[in-house]
Amino acid sequence: MNEMSWTPLGPPSLPPLPKPPPMPVGFSGKRDEFFQLVKRGAGLELVTLGFYRFWLTTDIRRHLWSNTQIDGDGAEYTGRGRELLIGFLVALAILVPIYLAYFLAGLEAEHYKAFASIPLVAFFYLFGQFAIFRARRYRLTRTVWRGVRFWMSGSGWIYALQASLWGLLSMVTLGLALPWRTAALERYKMRHSYYGDLQGKFEGSGWAFFKRGWWLWLLAPMAFVMPLFAPFIYGAFKAVEWRWWLSGIRIGGVRLESELPRSRLIGLYWKVVGWMAVLGLVFSVYLAAATALVASMSGEGIGEFFKSQESSQSILLLVLAGIGYLVFALALNVVIRVYLMRDLWVRVLESINIHGIEAAANVSARGELANALGEGFADGLDVAGF
């Protein structure tokens, strides 16, 4: 009798599941709603002498975050205007004594006057880079998607030192090292960025950035000689930068890809230039009308009014000019926020596809909240971002 061996039959092997298609990113916010938001905010900024901007910044971020749809879910911004105000006041309490001490030291060293500003500029550039890193940390820790918060580790001072050294190299090379500087700093920031327990990384290279936009470096001097070309060159450069940056982002197994055309942002910058010209013309007409009014109240013609010292000593004219300038600046801010915040945000989002979104399905919450001091420094040094 022959021995017979047999293998029990199991369930048939199934073919591997196909990878889900790339997930587009959508935006559900209405343009009119955003315009009303920033218009009302500009009015409140005028009434509060600019202090409402902390709450307006918070409202803008909540609008943009909540209307950004990824896999059907919007993000949540949990920051508060009061946090930004406190961060700004604390930063101001640190920055003002530094300015004052440097001013007093400069009075004691008049013979070094030609070089007195160099250490101050270097210090505040370093401090500005620190503020940029800390402000990013604050914004990440106030961003929540599907109940899980983003967060960030790393040292702001190490980042500032790297940014300063790369900035010096970029200056020496007349900007040619800028792509490699940007790539190195993005790698540091993304390596210390997390979504829950998923760690980020950046795979974009400086060489890839340079290859995409080398011709813009050649055209950049043309923008200084012929400013008419500046919106074309800068708009194309920002589109190249956005596409390169987004396509290099990785968070765990999630990968972003952007197909933003080079010409997609140029129209936005031209619209801002057009509105600047219109608002500047309106402001000029207002100043002329205010001057004519004050001159008529003094009983003199405009020519005689300017020849006399009364034009430079007129409190009413200074008040009217100051109010007009504030309205002009706030109106320009509305234009910039609509076109270069909201519209730019939407056009960039429309170009994004997300691969591997399923990798973010089971994520554990990690990280701690960061304070708003970095945002305060960034605001005080005028390097604040979104």
Side-chain angles (χ1 to χ4, degrees), residues 25-65:
V25 180
F27 188 80
S28 59
K30 296 181 179 178
R31 198 169 189 271
D32 289 343
E33 180 183 344
F34 184 84
F35 175 71
Q36 294 299 327
L37 171 68
V38 295
K39 185 179 70 171
R40 178 179 62 87
L44 291 173
E45 281 185 296
L46 180 63
V47 172
T48 61
L49 301 179
F51 275 92
Y52 185 74
R53 72 179 184 273
F54 304 106
W55 284 266
L56 177 58
T57 297
T58 300
D59 291 340
I60 289 174
R61 290 175 181 171
R62 285 177 179 167
H63 176 88
L64 296 177
W65 266 240

Side-chain angles (χ1 to χ4, degrees), residues 68-332:
T68 299
Q69 302 292 318
I70 303 175
D71 198 16
D73 293 311
E76 180 183 1
Y77 180 75
T78 61
R80 294 180 294 174
R82 185 176 65 179
E83 293 177 340
L84 299 182
L85 174 61
I86 293 174
F88 173 74
L89 294 176
V90 172
L92 210 60
I94 297 173
L95 293 175
V96 169
I98 294 175
Y99 277 117
L100 181 61
Y102 196 88
F103 172 75
L104 295 176
L107 293 179
E108 295 296 326
E110 279 295 321
H111 53 290
Y112 296 116
K113 189 175 181 180
F115 304 98
S117 62
I118 295 177
L120 184 67
V121 171
F123 172 78
F124 279 110
Y125 180 81
L126 179 71
F127 209 63
Q129 298 304 316
F130 168 81
I132 288 173
F133 185 86
R134 294 289 302 185
R136 174 189 167 99
R137 173 180 287 179
Y138 171 80
R139 291 191 293 270
L140 274 183
T141 60
R142 297 309 189 275
T143 301
V144 178
W145 185 65
R146 288 181 172 174
V148 178
R149 180 164 38 85
F150 289 84
W151 58 285
M152 196 171 181
S153 62
S155 168
W157 289 117
I158 292 177
Y159 174 84
L161 180 60
Q162 292 183 3
S164 300
L165 293 176
W166 274 106
L168 182 61
L169 182 60
S170 297
M171 186 167 53
V172 170
T173 59
L174 301 179
L176 288 177
L178 181 62
W180 287 269
R181 174 188 185 270
T182 306
L185 297 181
E186 287 302 325
R187 281 194 294 270
Y188 185 83
K189 287 187 288 188
M190 286 304 302
R191 187 167 67 247
H192 293 93
S193 300
Y194 297 83
Y195 171 64
D197 57 357
L198 295 183
Q199 184 178 14
K201 63 179 179 178
F202 186 74
E203 294 188 353
S205 68
W207 178 245
F209 189 9
F210 180 78
K211 284 193 300 182
R212 292 185 180 187
W214 64 269
W215 53 280
L216 292 169
W217 271 268
L218 297 179
L219 294 177
M222 188 183 299
F224 295 96
V225 179
M226 292 179 285
L228 185 66
F229 289 95
F232 291 105
I233 297 172
Y234 188 72
F237 170 76
K238 294 305 293 184
V240 167
E241 184 180 33
W242 274 107
R243 180 172 177 173
W244 167 82
W245 177 68
L246 289 166
S247 298
I249 291 178
R250 308 288 184 269
I251 302 178
V254 181
R255 175 172 65 89
L256 271 62
E257 181 185 27
S258 173
E259 297 295 335
L260 186 66
R262 290 192 184 97
S263 60
R264 187 65 174 131
L265 305 182
I266 293 175
L268 295 180
Y269 292 100
W270 267 116
K271 289 175 182 178
V272 172
V273 170
W275 274 108
M276 288 178 63
V278 171
L279 292 174
L281 178 61
V282 171
F283 179 55
S284 299
V285 171
Y286 167 82
L287 282 181
T291 303
L293 174 64
V294 174
S296 64
M297 292 175 62
S298 66
E300 301 178 351
I302 295 180
E304 291 77 12
F305 180 72
F306 275 108
K307 289 179 182 178
S308 66
Q309 293 184 349
E310 188 176 352
S311 61
S312 60
Q313 297 176 354
S314 174
I315 302 299
L316 178 59
L317 181 59
L318 290 176
V319 170
L320 291 176
I323 293 174
Y325 177 76
L326 286 176
V327 173
F328 167 74
L330 291 174
L332 187 57

